[in-house]
Amino acid sequence: MKRLAVYCGSASPADGRYVALARDVGRALAERGIGVVYGGGRLGLMGAVASGALEAGGEVIGVIPEALAGPEVANADCTELRVVRSMHERKQAFTDLSDGFLTIPGGVGTMDELWEAVSWSQLGYHAKPIGLLNAFGFYDHLLAFNRHMIEVGFVREAHAHILIAEPDLELLLERMERHVPHRPIFAMKAQDL
């Protein structure tokens, strides 16, 4: 993996562990020679990921929509800052520029990005690893819900392991490196659906 799209919040929670985690993730990726593709902002966890990677000498590509690109939000310190017209273009750029996806704590926008990456993987728009860093148990309920969708039958068995979740970054990255693509819906016959 040469680059990972990192999905995370643009907020800074009162609990300082989250911002520290984001900075550590950025630094760890840079130290492994993995570039960061992210939302292009300088605020919250987004800004912390970028700062951590840049301080460690890593590549950071920010992708931000025009509506958010004002000087108070956009991170001009990025290795490269791409301004796109829409959120859809932003997410397409994340997919095009990265070799996988890494989600750390975040809110609604982070969930949108994560689930779109999972959905696109199920369908066959990409075959890249999708990692979820479950730091501090932040995603325990999300992972339980994902298991519930699998158990009920809304997620096919062939796609049950698309989401790679771990509480430890190093272990998560190792599992993502070993990712083996699944059979996407586009390659299935009607009777398999």
Side-chain angles (χ1 to χ4, degrees), residues 101-149:
F101 309 89
L102 172 62
T103 299
I104 67 174
V108 174
T110 304
M111 293 300 91
D112 174 53
E113 293 162 344
L114 170 65
W115 289 117
E116 183 163 290
V118 171
S119 177
W120 284 16
S121 179
Q122 286 179 343
L123 290 168
Y125 284 112
H126 73 78
K128 301 172 183 184
I130 302 169
L132 182 72
L133 183 60
N134 189 25
F136 321 121
F138 184 80
Y139 285 119
D140 286 351
H141 296 291
L142 181 84
L143 292 169
F145 180 66
N146 191 54
R147 282 191 300 277
H148 180 65
M149 289 190 295

Side-chain angles (χ1 to χ4, degrees), residues 165-176:
E166 291 290 345
D168 176 77
L169 180 63
E170 290 303 314
L171 180 55
L172 179 59
L173 293 174
E174 288 169 15
R175 288 189 60 205
M176 290 174 70

Side-chain angles (χ1 to χ4, degrees), residues 39 63-74 82-87 90:
V63 184
I64 193 165
E66 292 171 341
L68 297 175
E72 70 280 357
V73 176
R82 295 184 181 199
V83 179
V84 296
R85 288 178 298 186
S86 69
M87 295 296 279
R90 179 196 225 180

